[in-house]
């Protein structure tokens, strides 16, 4: 009889060893109830309570490992997936590591559109994406590949423009640069090997089920409020909820307690409307997991 805990039946997950995606990757696993707290400094760690084995790698290497099947799945930035062009399947957006890949030029220059880059020298760590982008826009420019500190290239005369990851834009600002063109929006995604076997796929489905529950919970809040009964209908009408909201009578005659779930995006607007409609004692609580 096969042992369900032997190595072959474990799902092998590659995450970034250290850097911007590391902590959020580990946190997501933890929120999925997967504990890998022991061994974070090693090359790999076993989860104690889920048949998963975690490899800690450089993010650039993750698509290759997943294509080769050394890892079954990986958490990596979409930007790296597009750059490496490996044969992997992007399965789920993970909601963290959000950034954009942008062209930036020196702040004192006047950007006139993509044609500005014609004949210029562009420094980047993303030569494949940049060259595809320039080609599809009919622009001919020289790409200068550098692996780090791309933002200093124009200042030292190495390039006229750069193409690099941006989140707040403060790094560009500090280097006398301004964002000129967004090439792509990115976030961390789950990628999987193209030929995952049925057993591994089953484990992945269990993991995805948990990831989706965590993501939904992060985007939603549980709300409790008190409403005078004569306002109940109006207040309930404002609440989307998963089904209809829960309504419970309060000890005080003529009042009810209303419980519901609100999406982060519409949250403040609805709270304002609820207050205006006569809701009182509004409590908002985070949701840990959400399964619908
Ligand atoms: P490694 O040592 O693993 O190669 P790295 O230096 O290439 O690390 P990090 O800077 O840690 O990579 O970034 C990892 C990923 O985090 C990026 O590929 C991108 O998807 C995401 N990211 C989110 N925001 C930013 C940002 N402002 N700058 C750079 N990367 C960001
Ligand atoms: Zn990297």
């Amino acid at each position: 009889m096969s042992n369900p805990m032997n190595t072959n039946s474990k799902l092998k997950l590659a995450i970034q060893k250290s850097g911007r995606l590391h902590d959020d990757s580990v946190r997501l696993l933890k929120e999925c109830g997967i504990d890998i707290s022991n061994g974070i400094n090693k090359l790999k760690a076993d989860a104690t309570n889920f048949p998963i084995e975690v490899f800690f790698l450089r993010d650039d290497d993750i698509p290759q490992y997943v294509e080769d099947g050394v890892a079954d799945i990986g958490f990596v930035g979409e930007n790296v997936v597009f750059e490496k062009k490996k044969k992997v399947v992007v399965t789920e957006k993970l909601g963290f590591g959000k950034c954009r890949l942008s062209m930036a030029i020196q702040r004192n220059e006047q950007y006139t559109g993509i044609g500005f880059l014609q004949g210029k020298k562009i420094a980047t760590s993303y030569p494949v994406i940049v060259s595809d982008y320039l080609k599809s826009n009919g622009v001919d420019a020289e790409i200068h590949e550098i692996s780090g500190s791309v933002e200093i290239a124009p200042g030292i005369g190495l390039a006229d423009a750069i193409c690099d990851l941006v989140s707040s834009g403060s790094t560009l600002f500090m280097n006398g640069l301004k964002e000129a063109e967004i090439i792509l929006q990115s976030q961390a995604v789950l990628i999987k090997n193209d030929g995952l076997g049925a057993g591994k796929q089953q484990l992945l489905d269990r993991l995805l089920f948990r990831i989706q529950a965590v993501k939904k919970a992060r985007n939603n809040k549980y709300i409790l409020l008190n409403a005078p009964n004569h306002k109940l209908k109006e207040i309930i009408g404002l609440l989307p909820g998963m089904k209809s909201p829960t309504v419970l009578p309060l000890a005080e005659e003529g009042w009810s307690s209303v419980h519901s779930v609100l999406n982060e995006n519409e949250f403040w607007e609805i709270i304002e409307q609820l207050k205006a409609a006569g809701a009182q004692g509004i409590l908002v609580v985070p949701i840990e997991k959400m399964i619908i």
Side-chain angles (χ1 to χ4, degrees):
M1 214 176 96
S2 76
N3 172 2
M5 287 307 279
N6 76 23
T7 319
N8 287 335
S9 64
K10 280 188 190 172
L11 193 63
K12 290 176 287 180
L13 162 68
I15 67 170
Q16 195 188 21
K17 183 174 173 59
S18 64
R20 290 174 195 265
L21 300 181
H22 175 84
D23 289 353
D24 284 332
S25 300
V26 173
R27 184 176 314 128
L28 178 60
L29 288 174
K30 197 172 160 40
E31 287 177 4
C32 288
I34 297 171
D35 188 10
I36 52 154
S37 47
N38 42 0
I40 220 101
N41 291 318
K42 292 188 278 177
L43 185 65
K44 63 177 198 174
D46 277 306
T48 48
N49 51 3
F50 194 87
I52 199 167
E53 191 174 20
V54 182
F55 293 85
F56 303 103
L57 301 167
R58 282 202 59 195
D59 67 342
D60 313 65
D61 298 333
I62 291 175
Q64 180 76 65
Y65 278 100
V66 172
E67 180 185 284
D68 294 345
V70 175
D72 301 307
I73 60 170
F75 293 170
V76 67
E78 265 176 315
N79 51 305
V80 174
V81 179
F82 290 136
E83 180 64 24
K84 300 294 175 188
K85 288 191 169 165
K86 299 293 173 193
K87 202 163 161 246
V88 296
V89 184
V90 175
T91 308
E92 179 84 19
K93 291 190 193 285
L94 298 175
F96 60 84
K98 289 188 177 161
C99 58
R100 52 196 188 273
L101 184 67
S102 289
M103 290 284 182
I105 61 169
Q106 284 184 305
R107 212 177 311 146
N108 55 9
E109 301 241 42
Q110 175 95 39
Y111 187 67
T112 48
I114 190 76
F116 174 91
L117 297 169
Q118 179 66 35
K120 296 260 172 36
K121 219 191 239 185
I122 306 169
T124 186
S125 308
Y126 294 86
V128 174
I129 298 175
V130 173
S131 131
D132 285 353
Y133 184 79
L134 293 175
K135 213 176 284 165
S136 69
N137 283 282
V139 171
D140 197 15
E142 186 186 330
I143 296 171
H144 205 87
E145 183 180 352
I146 37 182
S147 58
S149 305
V150 174
E151 66 281 355
I152 64 168
I156 58 172
L158 195 67
D160 309 301
I162 65 163
C163 188
D164 203 9
L165 295 172
V166 182
S167 44
S168 69
S170 61
T171 307
L172 292 183
F173 187 82
M174 282 188 307
N175 287 280
L177 302 171
K178 65 179 177 191
E179 200 170 351
E181 196 92 47
I182 296 175
I183 310 292
L184 66 91
Q185 299 279 357
S186 179
Q187 64 173 289
V189 289
L190 186 154
I191 54 171
K192 70 167 183 175
N193 177 273
D194 198 21
L196 216 57
K200 296 280 177 85
Q201 183 62 49
Q202 229 169 38
L203 288 178
L204 175 57
D205 289 342
R206 282 177 63 198
L207 177 63
L208 283 169
F209 177 75
R210 296 186 187 194
I211 289 176
Q212 283 155 6
V214 169
K215 273 172 58 186
K216 266 187 216 119
R218 277 186 193 162
N219 291 333
N220 287 279
K221 301 271 181 262
Y222 194 77
I223 176 169
L224 305 93
L225 58 87
N226 297 332
N229 286 346
H230 67 277
K231 291 278 191 178
L232 260 182
K233 212 167 162 212
E234 186 184 346
I235 285 174
I236 289 171
L238 293 168
L239 294 166
M242 279 202 280
K243 290 223 170 75
S244 47
T246 308
V247 181
L248 302 165
L250 286 185
E252 190 177 327
E253 192 84 18
W255 283 78
S256 298
S257 168
V258 180
H259 302 195
S260 189
V261 172
L262 282 189
N263 190 282
E264 195 89 90
N265 301 327
E266 52 193 10
F267 179 75
W268 286 111
E269 206 175 305
I270 293 183
I271 294 280
E272 282 161 14
Q273 292 170 7
L274 288 169
K275 271 190 74 186
Q280 292 183 12
I282 303 175
L283 281 182
V284 178
V285 238
I287 301 171
E288 202 179 284
K289 308 280 187 295
M290 201 161 141
I291 295 139
I292 40 178

